[in-house]
Amino acid sequence: MKEQSVNPTPMQPAESPLYIVALPEGPVQEQALIWQRQLIERFPIYTREPFPPLHVTLATLMPPGEKLPEVIQCVRDICQEEKPIAFRTTGIGCFGQPSLAVTLYIERSKALFHLTETIHRSLAFTGLLRASAVPHWAYHITLSSAITADDPWDEPTFARACYLETVQSVPLEGKLTSIALWYPEFRPLAEIDRFLLGKNTERSEKG
């Protein structure tokens, strides 16, 4: 893997947190993209594409600065030892302030919890992890959120969107096949690196 630069650039904002996320594939991703677009058409809090990419957050780090290469190597090592994870959704739900987000909840499995715990334990030496809530982690895929919106919805509009979306039944299955490191910008996506889950796998191609 090529050496990573640690100088702040548009792809590496100096003051931005770093997210470690799992990327979904399969029926869940396909249906979530449909629901995301339908939700945005009904409540246009995003005024242009691309929309926020679908993902499952596993860890959030403070700005890594010079420790970024160590973080990348640590995540790479974990991905070489862990396998892709099958998962199921449990329904559409909502997060209140400050995110005001409509999300797709994911069933908490032993494999997903193990991966999350491994990432947090392995990165503890960096001192970068934000307050960990791994035992109570609510796994989800965000469809829309006031935090990333171009024109954030107010609370009454959010409540209406939440009511309309949560009536849907979502017994879907999917698979988490890769882990990405990125900053919270998506126009363009500020992705630092991405790795396939699976022993001795090569680096994943960015989508």
Side-chain angles (χ1 to χ4, degrees):
M1 183 178 67
K2 65 179 183 302
E3 183 179 350
Q4 301 289 329
S5 168
V6 295
N7 295 321
T9 70
M11 289 295 288
Q12 186 185 321
E15 301 302 323
S16 291
L18 181 68
Y19 286 76
I20 299 175
V21 302
L23 305 178
E25 292 185 358
V28 167
Q29 183 196 35
E30 297 163 9
Q31 187 60 55
L33 286 170
I34 293 172
W35 280 328
Q36 184 186 55
R37 182 169 293 277
Q38 291 175 342
L39 182 62
I40 293 169
E41 288 174 353
R42 184 177 294 173
F43 302 96
I45 64 174
Y46 301 99
T47 58
R48 61 189 177 91
E49 297 189 46
F51 303 138
L54 302 178
H55 63 279
V56 181
T57 300
L58 301 179
T60 308
L61 281 65
M62 293 181 287
E66 295 180 353
K67 294 182 180 179
L68 179 60
E70 295 176 84
V71 173
I72 293 172
Q73 185 59 51
C74 186
V75 174
R76 179 190 178 98
D77 292 343
I78 292 170
C79 290
Q80 288 179 340
E81 297 299 324
E82 300 295 330
K83 298 178 180 179
I85 296 174
F87 70 95
R88 292 182 294 183
T89 60
T90 59
I92 291 181
C94 299
F95 291 164
Q97 292 284 7
S99 58
L100 294 181
V102 177
T103 70
L104 185 59
Y105 285 125
I106 292 174
E107 183 177 80
R108 186 186 184 88
S109 67
K110 290 182 179 179
L112 190 50
F113 178 78
H114 168 76
L115 176 61
T116 308
E117 192 175 44
T118 299
I119 289 172
H120 281 246
R121 184 176 63 250
S122 300
L123 289 173
F125 78 95
T126 67
L128 296 172
L129 284 166
R130 290 190 166 183
S132 174
V134 175
H136 310 288
W137 203 268
Y139 296 103
H140 64 278
I141 297 172
T142 298
L143 302 177
S144 291
S145 170
I147 292 178
T148 56
D150 300 310
D151 185 16
W153 41 28
D154 55 24
E155 291 202 47
T157 304
F158 164 70
R160 186 157 62 95
C162 187
Y163 171 77
L164 291 173
E165 293 301 315
T166 54
V167 298
Q168 301 188 69
S169 176
V170 286
L172 299 172
E173 296 184 350
K175 185 172 287 189
L176 302 173
T177 59
S178 57
I179 303 294
L181 298 90
W182 65 35
Y183 293 105
E185 288 83 25
F186 60 95
R187 293 175 181 153
L189 179 63
E191 184 173 292
I192 300 303
D193 224 326
R194 184 187 298 192
F195 302 103
L196 291 169
L197 284 167
K199 191 171 180 61
N200 297 321
T201 56
E202 295 297 325
R203 181 180 181 282
S204 169
E205 291 299 321
K206 293 182 181 178

